[in-house]
């Protein structure tokens, strides 16, 4: 397996970075200008760039919550000291740009869809696995200083006809999986939670913890480094050759030779990293912004009575919440390419969303605006697996924007697989563990290299269709 690419020496933040266009995310680039970066404090120490050739047992590529938790659990539970290679800064990708919504979920499929796709028995086992992962995340969130808020999750019907959909979701969760999910009328939502003028009702689930995602990952880094984990920033993998079963990972400062490799690069997985990941994900942009702190009068006028986080039922969903310092955060899907991301119309989508949902906050100043890439898989569910049994390479990818909580559990399971502790465990027969990523089915016609430039065109048409379906 050989791949070659070059990384830019320009360390400024690149607002137009696009994993489908650029071979690598750069080397040592600055963080995106997110609210999380501005409020996380000083990053924990790292080991700096790779300075010379080295021989190691396990390399983890990517220093986000998945990669760091993989290294953490390798050290803590498997007695293996991994070396983490990060192209830019610690937690530079999803972990410094996400919405920080830790849900009892992973991927985009609902529990109803699990049953439809895999049957009731598999769906129940998958629920147990993901619920266990959520509880693990919740414990971690309250171990580290990350502004964790335990209030559950509100799934908001953005049109009256979506209420029936939420009622069916709640029925399945309660009757089949044993949850205590509740359906709220529009009046109950407004009286007790948020006066969202866009809402026709909501489903409340008690499993949900909001976090400051960058503080959370910084906390994981401190725990991992205390156990001896080495973290090399500004060390992108620019070339990868496997010789005699040993992986030669070329970085700007030297070649790292590893017996085993775990890929944890999420939505920032460049096309040139490895044939095992090339064209296996569709990176999708998520735009985000945070307002100035709201006054108490503004909070009361907008009817913001809780800090529970919310998502709505649009396909191109809005997700939003009142942060601990009284800022309103809101995000959605809008831009398609990295080159489009800085265009003002994508910020306007979010400010229009605030005005529609909370009219008294229309025109409120925005202090932070950013965007980040989401890793979407072929069936909207993650994969934590060894894609080629003949190669000592594993990956955890494909969260579809729902990886805040499950990424840490994925890291734990990935550590077990890298350590060879997965043999004979029934849980690894679940679909998220026993199959590899394939090309996203909704863009299958654009899979060939010749049609690669048209992938984003296909996505653009899909977005227009989704918008029409959401807003008609």
């Amino acid at each position: 397996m050989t791949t070659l690419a070059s990384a830019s020496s320009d360390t400024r933040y690149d607002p137009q970075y696009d994993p489908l266009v650029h071979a690598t995310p750069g080397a040592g680039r600055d963080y995106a200008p997110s609210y999380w970066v501005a409020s996380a404090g000083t990053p924990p120490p790292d080991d700096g760039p790779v300075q010379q050739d080295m021989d190691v047992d396990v390399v983890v590529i990517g220093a986000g919550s998945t990669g760091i938790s993989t290294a953490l659990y390798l050290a803590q539970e498997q007695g293996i000291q991994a070396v983490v290679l990060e192209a830019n800064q610690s937690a530079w990708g999803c972990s410094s740009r996400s919405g920080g919504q830790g849900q009892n979920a992973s991927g985009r499929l609902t529990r109803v869809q699990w049953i439809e796709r895999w049957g009731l028995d598999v769906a129940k086992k998958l629920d147990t696995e993901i619920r266990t992962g959520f509880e693990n995340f919740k414990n971690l969130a309250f171990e580290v200083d990350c502004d964790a808020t335990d209030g559950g999750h509100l799934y908001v019907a953005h049109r009256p006809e979506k209420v029936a959909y939420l009622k069916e979701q709640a029925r399945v969760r309660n009757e089949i999986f044993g949850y205590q999910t509740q359906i709220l009328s529009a009046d109950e939502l407004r009286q007790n939670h948020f006066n969202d003028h866009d809402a026709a009702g909501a489903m409340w689930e008690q499993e949900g913890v909001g976090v400051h995602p960058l503080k959370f990952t910084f906390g994981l880094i401190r725990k991992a480094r205390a156990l001896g984990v080495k973290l090399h920033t500004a060390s992108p993998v620019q070339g990868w050759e496997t010789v005699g079963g040993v992986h030669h990972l070329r970085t700007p400062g030297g070649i790292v030779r590893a017996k085993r490799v775990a890929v944890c690069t999420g939505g920032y997985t460049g096309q040139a990293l490895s044939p095992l990941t090339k064209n296996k994900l569709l990176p999708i942009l998520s735009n985000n912004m945070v307002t100035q702190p709201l006054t108490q009068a503004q909070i009361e006028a907008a009817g913001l009575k809780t800090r529970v986080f919310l998502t709505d039922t649009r396909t191109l969903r809005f997700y939003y919440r009142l942060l601990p310092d009284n800022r309103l955060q809101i995000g959605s899907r809008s831009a398609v390419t990295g080159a489009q991301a800085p265009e003002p119309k994508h910020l306007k989508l979010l400010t229009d969303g605030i005005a529609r949902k909370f009219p008294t906050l229309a025109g409120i100043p925005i202090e932070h605006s950013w965007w980040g890439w989401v890793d979407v898989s072929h069936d909207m569910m993650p994969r934590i697996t060894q894609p080629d049994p003949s190669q000592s390479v594993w990956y955890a990818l494909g969260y579809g924007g729902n990886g805040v909580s499950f990424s840490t559990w994925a890291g734990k399971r990935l550590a077990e697989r890298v350590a060879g502790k997965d043999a004979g465990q029934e849980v690894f027969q679940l679909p998220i563990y026993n199959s590899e990523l394939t090309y996203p089915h909704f863009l299958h016609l654009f899979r060939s290299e010749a049609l690669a430039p048209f992938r984003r065109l296909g996505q653009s048409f899909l977005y227009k269709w989704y918008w029409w379906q959401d807003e008609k």
Side-chain angles (χ1 to χ4, degrees):
M1 177 171 63
T2 304
T3 62
L4 294 174
S6 61
S8 170
S9 60
D10 186 350
T11 59
R12 294 171 297 177
Y13 166 63
D14 179 8
Q16 298 189 14
Y17 169 71
D18 190 328
L20 285 189
V21 175
H22 300 90
T24 78
R29 287 195 178 276
D30 291 337
Y31 287 107
S34 72
Y35 165 76
W36 312 124
V37 172
S39 58
T42 303
D46 58 58
D47 297 285
V50 171
Q51 298 287 347
Q52 61 186 10
D53 292 358
M54 64 177 75
D55 294 282
V56 302
D57 185 1
V58 175
V59 159
V60 175
I61 304 176
S65 60
T66 303
I68 294 301
S69 60
T70 300
L72 171 63
Y73 286 117
L74 279 169
Q76 182 174 286
E77 299 182 353
Q78 309 300 333
I80 296 173
Q81 298 292 334
V83 170
V84 181
L85 299 181
E86 165 57 47
N88 295 298
Q89 313 296 327
S90 302
W92 178 84
C94 299
S95 295
S96 62
R97 313 185 202 206
S98 78
Q101 294 191 357
Q103 299 184 31
N104 179 22
S106 187
R108 295 258 48 88
L109 299 187
T110 67
R111 282 160 173 78
V112 171
Q113 291 171 310
W114 295 353
I115 295 171
E116 293 171 349
R117 180 164 296 183
W118 295 302
L120 183 57
D121 181 60
V122 170
K124 285 184 173 181
K125 292 176 181 177
L126 188 57
D127 172 72
T128 298
E129 178 70 356
I130 289 180
R131 190 190 309 206
T132 304
F134 171 77
E135 292 299 328
N136 183 73
F137 158 77
K138 181 176 178 179
N139 291 337
L140 285 171
F142 286 99
E143 286 178 12
V144 302
D145 178 15
C146 63
D147 304 332
T149 303
D150 184 4
H153 167 232
L154 284 162
Y155 195 13
V156 176
H158 77 285
R159 294 203 311 253
E161 53 265 39
K162 288 294 184 179
V163 174
Y165 163 78
L166 292 182
K167 286 181 177 178
E168 177 61 11
Q169 296 295 322
R171 183 192 68 79
V172 169
R173 293 179 69 90
N174 294 345
E175 294 180 7
I176 295 178
F177 298 103
Y179 291 100
Q180 297 180 358
T181 306
Q182 299 175 16
I183 294 295
L184 306 179
S185 68
D187 286 343
E188 288 172 324
L189 177 67
R190 289 165 183 153
Q191 289 171 10
N192 300 319
H193 295 285
F194 277 69
N195 187 13
D196 184 343
H197 287 234
D198 202 29
M203 180 183 83
W204 176 77
E205 50 183 332
Q206 66 184 30
E207 301 79 21
V209 175
V211 297
H212 187 303
L214 187 53
K215 286 184 179 181
F216 177 70
T217 307
F218 281 175
L220 297 182
I221 290 172
R222 293 184 182 97
K223 290 169 70 72
R225 282 181 52 80
L227 294 172
V229 171
K230 299 295 183 183
L231 168 55
H232 292 287
T233 54
S235 300
V237 175
Q238 298 174 310
W240 183 337
E241 184 178 8
T242 304
V243 180
V246 176
H247 305 284
H248 295 236
L249 307 176
R250 180 169 57 80
T251 75
I255 295 174
V256 182
R257 293 176 289 268
K259 298 175 183 176
R260 293 171 282 184
V261 177
V263 178
C264 305
T265 44
Y268 297 83
T269 307
Q271 291 292 309
L273 179 63
S274 165
L276 295 174
T277 57
K278 186 176 183 179
N279 288 335
K280 298 299 176 65
L281 296 165
L282 181 68
I284 287 178
L285 276 170
S286 187
N287 295 69
N288 222 312
M289 72 180 191
V290 168
T291 70
Q292 70 177 23
L294 306 183
T295 66
Q296 190 59 38
Q298 288 174 318
I299 290 172
E300 292 174 0
L304 309 181
K305 300 178 177 69
T306 179
R307 300 187 189 279
V308 175
F309 58 77
L310 308 91
T311 56
D312 68 21
T313 50
R314 290 173 169 85
T315 303
L316 301 178
R317 64 179 184 167
F318 284 94
Y319 52 95
Y320 44 110
R321 60 170 165 151
L322 185 65
L323 295 173
D325 62 357
N326 291 336
R327 300 171 188 267
L328 184 66
Q329 172 205 359
I330 186 168
S332 188
R333 313 283 191 258
S334 181
V336 172
T337 69
Q340 292 176 352
E343 295 175 4
K345 66 180 180 180
H346 304 301
L347 177 61
K348 185 176 184 298
L349 175 84
L350 299 181
T351 56
D352 286 351
I354 289 178
R356 182 171 59 248
K357 292 177 179 295
F358 309 108
T360 62
L361 297 180
I364 187 170
I366 306 303
E367 290 197 353
H368 302 275
S369 174
W370 71 95
W371 44 89
W373 292 98
V374 172
D375 48 332
V376 176
S377 71
H378 65 288
D379 65 352
M380 309 294 179
M381 291 295 284
R383 290 299 187 279
I384 303 93
T385 193
Q386 182 181 18
D388 182 351
S390 69
Q391 300 186 49
S392 53
V393 179
W394 295 259
Y395 56 57
L397 299 167
Y399 302 123
N402 234 345
V404 171
S405 68
F406 191 71
S407 58
T408 48
W409 190 252
K412 179 182 174 71
R413 290 303 195 194
L414 189 60
E416 291 177 345
R417 307 208 88 159
V418 170
K421 300 295 179 62
D422 54 346
Q425 288 198 53
E426 184 181 0
V427 69
F428 289 106
Q429 296 306 309
L430 288 171
I432 61 174
Y433 297 123
N434 72 356
S435 61
E436 62 174 308
L437 295 165
T438 60
Y439 195 74
H441 66 87
F442 46 88
L443 291 177
H444 185 76
L445 292 176
F446 304 102
R447 182 171 185 172
S448 73
E449 291 297 321
L451 294 177
F454 300 99
R455 291 171 190 158
R456 291 300 190 198
L457 180 63
Q459 183 189 349
S460 181
F461 280 123
L462 278 173
Y463 270 29
K464 287 180 173 60
W465 169 254
Y466 290 152
W467 184 88
W468 183 77
Q469 289 287 91
D470 285 340
E471 308 299 342
K472 68 179 180 180

